[in-house]
Amino acid sequence: MKRIGLILLLMLLTLCGCSRENAAQPAETGAWSDIVVGFSQLGAESSWRIANTESIRKAAEDYGYGLMMDNANQKQDRQIDAIRSFIAYRVDVIVFSPIVEGGWDHVLKEAAKAEIPVILVDRMIETEDEDLYTAYVGADFYLEGQKAGRYLKAKADAMGAEHLNIVEISGTIDSTPMRDRHAGFMDAISDDPRLTVLESVSGDFLRSKGAECMRQLLNTYDSKDIDVIYSHNDSMTLGIMDVLEERGIRPGEDIIMISVDGEKAAVDALREGRINCIVQCNPHLGEDVMKLVRDLKAGLSVPKISHPFEAVFSDLDDTKEVEGF
Ligand code: AHR
């Protein structure tokens, strides 16, 4: 019965532009191979996101699971539509990365009614009913923000700085990493009178918007008045650096650059002294997600929250061994 359903599902997916990655035989994962996972990815805005999508695709393949995958191109409505189609196809587990925190309760109640467990990956939702999702796998973004703030305090000590003006370029408004990286950073620096945030603007996690924000900031402020840029991801940081370098401003020397993620181009820039600190955000969440799928289908209880290991790479430490994704 499930096989006929799968054939229909493949036909429908082709029609609606979704794709079902073909499942290989499970390796040594102990997985059940007729399981189908519906995965709604929020977009492809950054190298982080592309690495994350590939990690989930690869893990599903390793576990021998069918994967219905839809990329929502940064649109919440499209994610809601994808989740509805996963419910209609009666997938075994729904996995999704919510672009923003609010607005999911309605569709998740539909999933609950259909008795399909939901795993949140990468980002969290805001809900009054925590039972609407079974588990969350992703970073502790508040801790990431705190790590960025702690680095800045240590850097200010190392420089003997009396005062530093900061601009923050944040990610997508109302997304978990935007909210929590901001809150963690502010909490970490709030007791340090040397540190002042001049302005916080959103670059939507995009390289092009990071560059646009920087151009606007340089219309408002003299570059000599900006001592620190705290950017919520590497894609925006690379765009910001393009603009600074076009204007003859040396990122990493004239302005302290703090970034988040750890993609290869940013790690190279860290080694070249053009970025001062990268707070790592680990995109390789696929294995942890598929383990949860396996355990759920085996009737085991699973942890509600799992965070991957994440480090901090900076000019205050040795960066020789650091590897980007
Ligand atoms: O949610 C994780 C964030 O989303 C990453 O830091 C960023 O690069 C991505 O777009």
Side-chain angles (χ1 to χ4, degrees), residues 144-176:
E144 289 178 352
Q146 282 189 313
K147 287 174 180 172
R150 286 181 204 143
Y151 161 79
L152 185 55
K153 284 159 114 176
K155 179 74 178 173
D157 291 345
M159 293 165 64
E162 283 179 10
H163 192 261
L164 295 172
N165 283 330
I166 305 157
V167 295
E168 179 185 38
I169 305 200
S170 77
T172 305
I173 291 172
D174 291 338
S175 68
T176 318

PDB file of all heavy atoms in Angstrom, residues 144-176:
ATOM      1  N   GLU A 144      25.815  31.513  20.741  1.00  0.00           N
ATOM      2  CA  GLU A 144      26.668  32.063  19.672  1.00  0.00           C
ATOM      3  C   GLU A 144      26.830  33.578  19.854  1.00  0.00           C
ATOM      4  O   GLU A 144      27.933  34.119  19.729  1.00  0.00           O
ATOM      5  CB  GLU A 144      26.058  31.771  18.300  1.00  0.00           C
ATOM      6  CG  GLU A 144      26.130  30.302  17.896  1.00  0.00           C
ATOM      7  CD  GLU A 144      25.483  30.009  16.545  1.00  0.00           C
ATOM      8  OE1 GLU A 144      24.838  30.906  15.960  1.00  0.00           O
ATOM      9  OE2 GLU A 144      25.622  28.873  16.067  1.00  0.00           O
ATOM     10  N   GLY A 145      25.717  34.271  20.134  1.00  0.00           N
ATOM     11  CA  GLY A 145      25.786  35.716  20.343  1.00  0.00           C
ATOM     12  C   GLY A 145      26.657  36.056  21.547  1.00  0.00           C
ATOM     13  O   GLY A 145      27.467  36.991  21.510  1.00  0.00           O
ATOM     14  N   GLN A 146      26.519  35.259  22.603  1.00  0.00           N
ATOM     15  CA  GLN A 146      27.352  35.497  23.796  1.00  0.00           C
ATOM     16  C   GLN A 146      28.829  35.315  23.471  1.00  0.00           C
ATOM     17  O   GLN A 146      29.678  36.078  23.926  1.00  0.00           O
ATOM     18  CB  GLN A 146      26.971  34.507  24.887  1.00  0.00           C
ATOM     19  CG  GLN A 146      25.704  34.864  25.636  1.00  0.00           C
ATOM     20  CD  GLN A 146      25.527  33.952  26.836  1.00  0.00           C
ATOM     21  OE1 GLN A 146      25.676  32.736  26.719  1.00  0.00           O
ATOM     22  NE2 GLN A 146      25.204  34.530  27.969  1.00  0.00           N
ATOM     23  N   LYS A 147      29.119  34.285  22.658  1.00  0.00           N
ATOM     24  CA  LYS A 147      30.529  34.033  22.313  1.00  0.00           C
ATOM     25  C   LYS A 147      31.103  35.224  21.546  1.00  0.00           C
ATOM     26  O   LYS A 147      32.253  35.608  21.753  1.00  0.00           O
ATOM     27  CB  LYS A 147      30.644  32.767  21.454  1.00  0.00           C
ATOM     28  CG  LYS A 147      30.420  31.467  22.218  1.00  0.00           C
ATOM     29  CD  LYS A 147      30.422  30.318  21.225  1.00  0.00           C
ATOM     30  CE  LYS A 147      30.197  28.981  21.883  1.00  0.00           C
ATOM     31  NZ  LYS A 147      30.007  27.905  20.884  1.00  0.00           N
ATOM     32  N   ALA A 148      30.291  35.806  20.649  1.00  0.00           N
ATOM     33  CA  ALA A 148      30.758  36.974  19.883  1.00  0.00           C
ATOM     34  C   ALA A 148      31.056  38.130  20.849  1.00  0.00           C
ATOM     35  O   ALA A 148      32.090  38.802  20.732  1.00  0.00           O
ATOM     36  CB  ALA A 148      29.686  37.380  18.869  1.00  0.00           C
ATOM     37  N   GLY A 149      30.170  38.338  21.820  1.00  0.00           N
ATOM     38  CA  GLY A 149      30.365  39.412  22.795  1.00  0.00           C
ATOM     39  C   GLY A 149      31.583  39.167  23.677  1.00  0.00           C
ATOM     40  O   GLY A 149      32.364  40.081  23.948  1.00  0.00           O
ATOM     41  N   ARG A 150      31.750  37.912  24.091  1.00  0.00           N
ATOM     42  CA  ARG A 150      32.909  37.598  24.958  1.00  0.00           C
ATOM     43  C   ARG A 150      34.214  37.800  24.202  1.00  0.00           C
ATOM     44  O   ARG A 150      35.199  38.276  24.752  1.00  0.00           O
ATOM     45  CB  ARG A 150      32.830  36.144  25.433  1.00  0.00           C
ATOM     46  CG  ARG A 150      31.769  35.925  26.495  1.00  0.00           C
ATOM     47  CD  ARG A 150      31.784  34.470  26.930  1.00  0.00           C
ATOM     48  NE  ARG A 150      30.504  34.085  27.485  1.00  0.00           N
ATOM     49  CZ  ARG A 150      29.919  32.906  27.318  1.00  0.00           C
ATOM     50  NH1 ARG A 150      30.514  31.969  26.588  1.00  0.00           N
ATOM     51  NH2 ARG A 150      28.764  32.648  27.875  1.00  0.00           N
ATOM     52  N   TYR A 151      34.205  37.422  22.907  1.00  0.00           N
ATOM     53  CA  TYR A 151      35.422  37.648  22.111  1.00  0.00           C
ATOM     54  C   TYR A 151      35.733  39.139  22.102  1.00  0.00           C
ATOM     55  O   TYR A 151      36.892  39.536  22.303  1.00  0.00           O
ATOM     56  CB  TYR A 151      35.252  37.140  20.652  1.00  0.00           C
ATOM     57  CG  TYR A 151      36.283  37.768  19.745  1.00  0.00           C
ATOM     58  CD1 TYR A 151      37.599  37.295  19.723  1.00  0.00           C
ATOM     59  CD2 TYR A 151      35.978  38.896  18.982  1.00  0.00           C
ATOM     60  CE1 TYR A 151      38.576  37.925  18.948  1.00  0.00           C
ATOM     61  CE2 TYR A 151      36.938  39.527  18.214  1.00  0.00           C
ATOM     62  CZ  TYR A 151      38.232  39.042  18.198  1.00  0.00           C
ATOM     63  OH  TYR A 151      39.198  39.671  17.450  1.00  0.00           O
ATOM     64  N   LEU A 152      34.703  39.967  21.858  1.00  0.00           N
ATOM     65  CA  LEU A 152      34.956  41.404  21.725  1.00  0.00           C
ATOM     66  C   LEU A 152      35.537  41.987  23.016  1.00  0.00           C
ATOM     67  O   LEU A 152      36.449  42.823  22.977  1.00  0.00           O
ATOM     68  CB  LEU A 152      33.666  42.133  21.319  1.00  0.00           C
ATOM     69  CG  LEU A 152      33.846  43.620  21.031  1.00  0.00           C
ATOM     70  CD1 LEU A 152      34.919  43.867  19.961  1.00  0.00           C
ATOM     71  CD2 LEU A 152      32.526  44.252  20.612  1.00  0.00           C
ATOM     72  N   LYS A 153      35.052  41.518  24.145  1.00  0.00           N
ATOM     73  CA  LYS A 153      35.602  42.012  25.405  1.00  0.00           C
ATOM     74  C   LYS A 153      37.081  41.617  25.533  1.00  0.00           C
ATOM     75  O   LYS A 153      37.917  42.428  25.934  1.00  0.00           O
ATOM     76  CB  LYS A 153      34.823  41.443  26.587  1.00  0.00           C
ATOM     77  CG  LYS A 153      33.464  42.121  26.771  1.00  0.00           C
ATOM     78  CD  LYS A 153      32.548  41.253  27.560  1.00  0.00           C
ATOM     79  CE  LYS A 153      32.179  41.810  28.900  1.00  0.00           C
ATOM     80  NZ  LYS A 153      31.187  40.943  29.593  1.00  0.00           N
ATOM     81  N   ALA A 154      37.394  40.377  25.170  1.00  0.00           N
ATOM     82  CA  ALA A 154      38.788  39.916  25.258  1.00  0.00           C
ATOM     83  C   ALA A 154      39.669  40.699  24.278  1.00  0.00           C
ATOM     84  O   ALA A 154      40.815  41.047  24.583  1.00  0.00           O
ATOM     85  CB  ALA A 154      38.861  38.412  24.954  1.00  0.00           C
ATOM     86  N   LYS A 155      39.107  40.996  23.097  1.00  0.00           N
ATOM     87  CA  LYS A 155      39.871  41.752  22.085  1.00  0.00           C
ATOM     88  C   LYS A 155      40.121  43.173  22.599  1.00  0.00           C
ATOM     89  O   LYS A 155      41.227  43.711  22.459  1.00  0.00           O
ATOM     90  CB  LYS A 155      39.064  41.778  20.780  1.00  0.00           C
ATOM     91  CG  LYS A 155      39.704  42.535  19.636  1.00  0.00           C
ATOM     92  CD  LYS A 155      40.863  41.786  19.013  1.00  0.00           C
ATOM     93  CE  LYS A 155      41.434  42.555  17.839  1.00  0.00           C
ATOM     94  NZ  LYS A 155      42.664  41.923  17.337  1.00  0.00           N
ATOM     95  N   ALA A 156      39.087  43.776  23.202  1.00  0.00           N
ATOM     96  CA  ALA A 156      39.247  45.137  23.744  1.00  0.00           C
ATOM     97  C   ALA A 156      40.339  45.142  24.826  1.00  0.00           C
ATOM     98  O   ALA A 156      41.173  46.060  24.878  1.00  0.00           O
ATOM     99  CB  ALA A 156      37.915  45.635  24.305  1.00  0.00           C
ATOM    100  N   ASP A 157      40.351  44.101  25.661  1.00  0.00           N
ATOM    101  CA  ASP A 157      41.414  43.991  26.690  1.00  0.00           C
ATOM    102  C   ASP A 157      42.778  43.901  26.015  1.00  0.00           C
ATOM    103  O   ASP A 157      43.710  44.610  26.381  1.00  0.00           O
ATOM    104  CB  ASP A 157      41.224  42.709  27.534  1.00  0.00           C
ATOM    105  CG  ASP A 157      40.001  42.785  28.431  1.00  0.00           C
ATOM    106  OD1 ASP A 157      39.475  43.901  28.626  1.00  0.00           O
ATOM    107  OD2 ASP A 157      39.566  41.717  28.909  1.00  0.00           O
ATOM    108  N   ALA A 158      42.875  43.007  24.997  1.00  0.00           N
ATOM    109  CA  ALA A 158      44.171  42.777  24.337  1.00  0.00           C
ATOM    110  C   ALA A 158      44.678  44.052  23.667  1.00  0.00           C
ATOM    111  O   ALA A 158      45.882  44.302  23.616  1.00  0.00           O
ATOM    112  CB  ALA A 158      44.031  41.646  23.310  1.00  0.00           C
ATOM    113  N   MET A 159      43.742  44.880  23.144  1.00  0.00           N
ATOM    114  CA  MET A 159      44.142  46.121  22.460  1.00  0.00           C
ATOM    115  C   MET A 159      44.356  47.269  23.443  1.00  0.00           C
ATOM    116  O   MET A 159      44.858  48.325  23.067  1.00  0.00           O
ATOM    117  CB  MET A 159      43.016  46.576  21.505  1.00  0.00           C
ATOM    118  CG  MET A 159      42.765  45.690  20.331  1.00  0.00           C
ATOM    119  SD  MET A 159      41.149  46.119  19.594  1.00  0.00           S
ATOM    120  CE  MET A 159      41.433  47.793  19.042  1.00  0.00           C
ATOM    121  N   GLY A 160      43.878  47.076  24.653  1.00  0.00           N
ATOM    122  CA  GLY A 160      43.891  48.182  25.617  1.00  0.00           C
ATOM    123  C   GLY A 160      42.933  49.293  25.175  1.00  0.00           C
ATOM    124  O   GLY A 160      43.184  50.478  25.389  1.00  0.00           O
ATOM    125  N   ALA A 161      41.820  48.906  24.532  1.00  0.00           N
ATOM    126  CA  ALA A 161      40.886  49.905  23.987  1.00  0.00           C
ATOM    127  C   ALA A 161      40.123  50.614  25.102  1.00  0.00           C
ATOM    128  O   ALA A 161      39.727  49.992  26.086  1.00  0.00           O
ATOM    129  CB  ALA A 161      39.898  49.215  23.051  1.00  0.00           C
ATOM    130  N   GLU A 162      39.930  51.915  24.895  1.00  0.00           N
ATOM    131  CA  GLU A 162      39.143  52.659  25.886  1.00  0.00           C
ATOM    132  C   GLU A 162      37.666  52.645  25.528  1.00  0.00           C
ATOM    133  O   GLU A 162      36.785  52.615  26.391  1.00  0.00           O
ATOM    134  CB  GLU A 162      39.623  54.111  25.943  1.00  0.00           C
ATOM    135  CG  GLU A 162      40.912  54.217  26.713  1.00  0.00           C
ATOM    136  CD  GLU A 162      41.440  55.625  26.775  1.00  0.00           C
ATOM    137  OE1 GLU A 162      40.719  56.558  26.387  1.00  0.00           O
ATOM    138  OE2 GLU A 162      42.588  55.760  27.207  1.00  0.00           O
ATOM    139  N   HIS A 163      37.416  52.699  24.224  1.00  0.00           N
ATOM    140  CA  HIS A 163      36.015  52.728  23.784  1.00  0.00           C
ATOM    141  C   HIS A 163      35.902  52.175  22.368  1.00  0.00           C
ATOM    142  O   HIS A 163      36.754  52.458  21.526  1.00  0.00           O
ATOM    143  CB  HIS A 163      35.481  54.164  23.830  1.00  0.00           C
ATOM    144  CG  HIS A 163      34.000  54.182  23.676  1.00  0.00           C
ATOM    145  ND1 HIS A 163      33.375  54.455  22.484  1.00  0.00           N
ATOM    146  CD2 HIS A 163      33.001  53.905  24.559  1.00  0.00           C
ATOM    147  CE1 HIS A 163      32.070  54.347  22.646  1.00  0.00           C
ATOM    148  NE2 HIS A 163      31.817  54.016  23.896  1.00  0.00           N
ATOM    149  N   LEU A 164      34.879  51.381  22.107  1.00  0.00           N
ATOM    150  CA  LEU A 164      34.682  50.835  20.760  1.00  0.00           C
ATOM    151  C   LEU A 164      33.222  51.007  20.344  1.00  0.00           C
ATOM    152  O   LEU A 164      32.311  50.633  21.085  1.00  0.00           O
ATOM    153  CB  LEU A 164      35.053  49.343  20.713  1.00  0.00           C
ATOM    154  CG  LEU A 164      36.523  48.978  20.970  1.00  0.00           C
ATOM    155  CD1 LEU A 164      36.685  47.459  21.079  1.00  0.00           C
ATOM    156  CD2 LEU A 164      37.437  49.517  19.867  1.00  0.00           C
ATOM    157  N   ASN A 165      33.028  51.570  19.146  1.00  0.00           N
ATOM    158  CA  ASN A 165      31.680  51.715  18.569  1.00  0.00           C
ATOM    159  C   ASN A 165      31.394  50.534  17.647  1.00  0.00           C
ATOM    160  O   ASN A 165      32.200  50.204  16.770  1.00  0.00           O
ATOM    161  CB  ASN A 165      31.595  52.996  17.726  1.00  0.00           C
ATOM    162  CG  ASN A 165      31.468  54.228  18.596  1.00  0.00           C
ATOM    163  OD1 ASN A 165      30.918  54.169  19.689  1.00  0.00           O
ATOM    164  ND2 ASN A 165      31.998  55.332  18.105  1.00  0.00           N
ATOM    165  N   ILE A 166      30.214  49.955  17.835  1.00  0.00           N
ATOM    166  CA  ILE A 166      29.867  48.719  17.108  1.00  0.00           C
ATOM    167  C   ILE A 166      28.682  48.986  16.189  1.00  0.00           C
ATOM    168  O   ILE A 166      27.730  49.660  16.583  1.00  0.00           O
ATOM    169  CB  ILE A 166      29.436  47.630  18.133  1.00  0.00           C
ATOM    170  CG1 ILE A 166      30.524  47.425  19.188  1.00  0.00           C
ATOM    171  CG2 ILE A 166      29.076  46.314  17.431  1.00  0.00           C
ATOM    172  CD1 ILE A 166      30.000  46.820  20.489  1.00  0.00           C
ATOM    173  N   VAL A 167      28.712  48.398  14.967  1.00  0.00           N
ATOM    174  CA  VAL A 167      27.456  48.280  14.214  1.00  0.00           C
ATOM    175  C   VAL A 167      27.161  46.797  14.047  1.00  0.00           C
ATOM    176  O   VAL A 167      28.068  45.989  13.834  1.00  0.00           O
ATOM    177  CB  VAL A 167      27.450  49.017  12.838  1.00  0.00           C
ATOM    178  CG1 VAL A 167      27.563  50.515  13.010  1.00  0.00           C
ATOM    179  CG2 VAL A 167      28.505  48.493  11.906  1.00  0.00           C
ATOM    180  N   GLU A 168      25.889  46.490  14.167  1.00  0.00           N
ATOM    181  CA  GLU A 168      25.458  45.091  14.058  1.00  0.00           C
ATOM    182  C   GLU A 168      24.678  44.931  12.763  1.00  0.00           C
ATOM    183  O   GLU A 168      23.763  45.710  12.481  1.00  0.00           O
ATOM    184  CB  GLU A 168      24.556  44.736  15.245  1.00  0.00           C
ATOM    185  CG  GLU A 168      24.033  43.308  15.193  1.00  0.00           C
ATOM    186  CD  GLU A 168      23.030  43.021  16.321  1.00  0.00           C
ATOM    187  OE1 GLU A 168      22.225  43.909  16.644  1.00  0.00           O
ATOM    188  OE2 GLU A 168      23.061  41.907  16.861  1.00  0.00           O
ATOM    189  N   ILE A 169      25.054  43.928  11.966  1.00  0.00           N
ATOM    190  CA  ILE A 169      24.278  43.626  10.757  1.00  0.00           C
ATOM    191  C   ILE A 169      23.658  42.257  10.999  1.00  0.00           C
ATOM    192  O   ILE A 169      24.361  41.235  11.070  1.00  0.00           O
ATOM    193  CB  ILE A 169      25.159  43.691   9.498  1.00  0.00           C
ATOM    194  CG1 ILE A 169      25.824  45.072   9.483  1.00  0.00           C
ATOM    195  CG2 ILE A 169      24.307  43.417   8.242  1.00  0.00           C
ATOM    196  CD1 ILE A 169      26.363  45.609   8.252  1.00  0.00           C
ATOM    197  N   SER A 170      22.365  42.273  11.184  1.00  0.00           N
ATOM    198  CA  SER A 170      21.706  41.053  11.670  1.00  0.00           C
ATOM    199  C   SER A 170      21.123  40.253  10.509  1.00  0.00           C
ATOM    200  O   SER A 170      21.058  40.716   9.369  1.00  0.00           O
ATOM    201  CB  SER A 170      20.609  41.417  12.669  1.00  0.00           C
ATOM    202  OG  SER A 170      19.483  41.888  11.972  1.00  0.00           O
ATOM    203  N   GLY A 171      20.645  39.048  10.835  1.00  0.00           N
ATOM    204  CA  GLY A 171      20.034  38.180   9.831  1.00  0.00           C
ATOM    205  C   GLY A 171      18.555  38.499   9.637  1.00  0.00           C
ATOM    206  O   GLY A 171      18.075  39.572  10.025  1.00  0.00           O
ATOM    207  N   THR A 172      17.834  37.567   9.066  1.00  0.00           N
ATOM    208  CA  THR A 172      16.411  37.737   8.746  1.00  0.00           C
ATOM    209  C   THR A 172      15.608  38.127   9.982  1.00  0.00           C
ATOM    210  O   THR A 172      15.646  37.429  11.007  1.00  0.00           O
ATOM    211  CB  THR A 172      15.858  36.415   8.170  1.00  0.00           C
ATOM    212  OG1 THR A 172      16.677  36.053   7.065  1.00  0.00           O
ATOM    213  CG2 THR A 172      14.413  36.546   7.737  1.00  0.00           C
ATOM    214  N   ILE A 173      14.872  39.218   9.871  1.00  0.00           N
ATOM    215  CA  ILE A 173      14.084  39.727  11.002  1.00  0.00           C
ATOM    216  C   ILE A 173      13.094  38.660  11.479  1.00  0.00           C
ATOM    217  O   ILE A 173      12.429  38.011  10.665  1.00  0.00           O
ATOM    218  CB  ILE A 173      13.353  41.024  10.589  1.00  0.00           C
ATOM    219  CG1 ILE A 173      14.407  42.121  10.394  1.00  0.00           C
ATOM    220  CG2 ILE A 173      12.305  41.446  11.620  1.00  0.00           C
ATOM    221  CD1 ILE A 173      13.888  43.400   9.799  1.00  0.00           C
ATOM    222  N   ASP A 174      13.050  38.482  12.793  1.00  0.00           N
ATOM    223  CA  ASP A 174      12.150  37.526  13.467  1.00  0.00           C
ATOM    224  C   ASP A 174      12.526  36.064  13.283  1.00  0.00           C
ATOM    225  O   ASP A 174      11.747  35.163  13.623  1.00  0.00           O
ATOM    226  CB  ASP A 174      10.668  37.736  13.059  1.00  0.00           C
ATOM    227  CG  ASP A 174      10.145  39.051  13.609  1.00  0.00           C
ATOM    228  OD1 ASP A 174      10.740  39.551  14.593  1.00  0.00           O
ATOM    229  OD2 ASP A 174       9.173  39.589  13.059  1.00  0.00           O
ATOM    230  N   SER A 175      13.728  35.817  12.736  1.00  0.00           N
ATOM    231  CA  SER A 175      14.215  34.426  12.712  1.00  0.00           C
ATOM    232  C   SER A 175      14.934  34.157  14.030  1.00  0.00           C
ATOM    233  O   SER A 175      15.415  35.079  14.699  1.00  0.00           O
ATOM    234  CB  SER A 175      15.176  34.205  11.539  1.00  0.00           C
ATOM    235  OG  SER A 175      16.385  34.925  11.752  1.00  0.00           O
ATOM    236  N   THR A 176      15.046  32.880  14.404  1.00  0.00           N
ATOM    237  CA  THR A 176      15.714  32.543  15.673  1.00  0.00           C
ATOM    238  C   THR A 176      17.162  33.031  15.714  1.00  0.00           C
ATOM    239  O   THR A 176      17.567  33.638  16.703  1.00  0.00           O
ATOM    240  CB  THR A 176      15.673  31.020  15.920  1.00  0.00           C
ATOM    241  OG1 THR A 176      14.390  30.533  15.584  1.00  0.00           O
ATOM    242  CG2 THR A 176      15.987  30.683  17.357  1.00  0.00           C
TER     243      THR A 176
END
